Amino acid sequence: MDINIGSMNALTARINLAFNKYIPTVDSHYGKIAMTIPSSAGENVYPRIAELPGMREWIGQRVMHRISAQERFTIVNRTYEQAFSIRREDLEDDQYGFLTPAVEQLAADAAKLPDRLVFGLLETGHKTIGIDGQYFFDEDHEGTDRTGKATAFSNILRPGTTESASPAWYLFNTQNPMKPMIFQTRRPFAITSRTQISDGVVFHRNEFEWGVDGRCAAGYGLHNFAFRSTAPLTAENLGRAISMMESQYRKDGQPYNSRPNILFAPTSLEGEARALLEKDFIPQLAPDNRTYITGSNPWSGTLDLCVCPYLDPLVRND
């Protein structure tokens, strides 16, 4: 390849096209559980949205439910980058057959970053504060029962006294405008090249460079629609977790409609998850509570399954 202004401009155009075409093809999971919110500053400030009590018959004046900006949380944008370089001699001698795959890998890494950020937060959600001032996954979130009386609800299930800890698995309700997680985007990822002969890096180091950068962040959304468990992924525990999610009520006593529609599992639990959600018959605990028998599977086809490699596969009892 001849190194001149024309050839380098053509190469830059080809690289930009390869990057921009590849990003939309990358499979990602964060969009299933996260609201994507644009950002126009270094950080976004979110008010704590007090739970709306539900629809009422309009008699007299409207009843206002104030959204307080005094209780609020902030998500700060961060800048992420990745870059590589090629010696001029390698480019001159046409030793750049790997260039397009390398650029596509940059695109894949940029497209996967939201997964890394969102699911990284999930893994620490049992010890990180959410929008209500409690841990995102906690045993005593503020709620109400069906009579409107203040009570607590839990969106976390730990192993029982006779159970061993399992890798964490998660349930989500994603059928509402408010989602369990937030992905905040400030500047989309784009590729930048330093390939002009007059560039300092070319003149001084005899190298051409390509780099990707963007600004974004992730944060916690509505905890009512998220559930974490480190109890074994069995039919009994799945039923218990679903029941706990559904036990939430609005202040007027109406159900919160928080029944989950998707189960997220790490790759180490894929077999158990598929058996629970895709098979018609599974082992079930016998009446003696000691042995197992084969029985009809009540959870077959009830939830979508997402096996996510970004979920930490380590077993821990926390």
Side-chain angles (χ1 to χ4, degrees):
M1 174 180 179
D2 292 331
I3 305 298
N4 55 55
I5 293 176
S7 64
M8 297 314 296
N9 286 342
L11 179 62
T12 297
R14 180 164 67 87
I15 292 303
N16 289 346
L17 180 63
F19 180 84
N20 293 325
K21 283 184 64 177
Y22 198 83
I23 277 189
T25 69
V26 177
D27 184 33
S28 60
H29 304 298
Y30 78 98
K32 297 181 176 72
I33 62 171
M35 303 173 280
T36 298
I37 297 179
S39 175
S40 59
E43 61 186 33
N44 278 20
V45 178
Y46 298 87
R48 177 187 171 187
I49 301 177
E51 194 231 318
L52 298 176
M55 298 295 292
R56 61 180 285 273
E57 183 180 359
W58 191 347
I59 301 175
Q61 294 188 3
R62 292 181 183 269
V63 176
M64 289 293 131
H65 306 282
R66 186 180 300 276
I67 294 177
S68 172
Q70 307 218 340
E71 298 179 65
R72 56 188 183 176
F73 66 104
T74 302
I75 300 178
V76 179
N77 292 309
R78 301 184 184 278
T79 303
Y80 297 88
E81 63 83 24
Q82 187 175 196
F84 68 89
S85 65
I86 298 176
R87 293 174 61 247
R88 177 172 179 167
E89 286 78 7
D90 290 335
L91 208 56
E92 279 182 335
D93 297 338
D94 290 336
Q95 301 299 315
Y96 62 95
F98 64 90
L99 185 55
T100 296
V103 168
E104 290 176 341
Q105 187 60 54
L106 289 181
D109 291 344
K112 286 290 189 181
L113 181 63
D115 275 7
R116 196 177 107 199
L117 298 179
V118 168
F119 292 106
L121 283 178
L122 280 181
E123 276 298 293
T124 59
H126 61 294
K127 53 187 177 182
T128 307
I129 299 298
I131 63 175
D132 66 343
Q134 303 281 113
Y135 291 147
F136 184 71
F137 295 111
D138 209 346
E139 295 176 338
D140 57 352
H141 287 291
E142 181 182 342
T144 55
D145 62 18
R146 66 176 60 200
T147 68
K149 180 182 177 181
T151 186
F153 75 90
S154 172
N155 66 342
I156 190 168
L157 178 64
R158 295 186 170 90
T161 55
T162 62
E163 294 178 321
S164 298
S166 162
W169 47 276
Y170 301 85
L171 297 175
F172 299 102
N173 178 308
T174 65
Q175 302 176 96
N176 295 281
M178 292 290 290
K179 296 290 191 294
M181 303 297 291
I182 294 172
F183 179 68
Q184 183 174 288
T185 175
R186 176 66 177 91
R187 186 177 76 239
F189 281 87
I191 189 166
T192 303
S193 62
R194 298 181 70 181
T195 57
Q196 296 304 313
I197 306 300
S198 58
D199 282 340
V201 66
V202 180
F203 182 83
H204 291 290
R205 297 214 309 267
N206 204 33
E207 292 183 345
F208 298 98
E209 296 180 342
W210 287 267
V212 172
D213 62 87
R215 295 176 67 192
C216 58
Y220 297 110
L222 202 60
H223 52 265
N224 304 77
F225 298 147
F227 194 96
R228 180 182 195 264
S229 176
T230 51
L233 184 51
T234 63
E236 293 77 17
N237 285 333
L238 178 60
R240 188 175 299 117
I242 292 174
S243 176
M244 290 170 69
M245 285 191 73
E246 287 194 297
S247 66
Q248 301 177 62
Y249 295 88
R250 293 181 177 273
K251 291 180 181 179
D252 65 353
Q254 295 301 310
Y256 209 95
N257 293 324
S258 54
R259 183 180 179 87
N261 63 300
I262 188 167
L263 184 151
F264 271 73
T267 53
S268 58
L269 289 181
E270 181 174 3
E272 293 91 329
R274 292 199 180 280
L276 271 179
L277 300 181
E278 297 175 1
K279 292 186 177 181
D280 293 330
F281 296 94
I282 57 172
Q284 295 181 352
L285 194 61
D288 61 9
N289 288 323
R290 293 195 305 270
T291 59
Y292 279 84
I293 59 176
T294 300
S296 178
N297 180 12
W299 306 116
S300 178
T302 58
L303 297 168
D304 294 332
L305 173 63
C306 182
V307 179
C308 181
Y310 285 91
L311 295 176
D312 187 354
L314 294 177
V315 176
R316 57 197 182 199
N317 189 10
D318 55 16

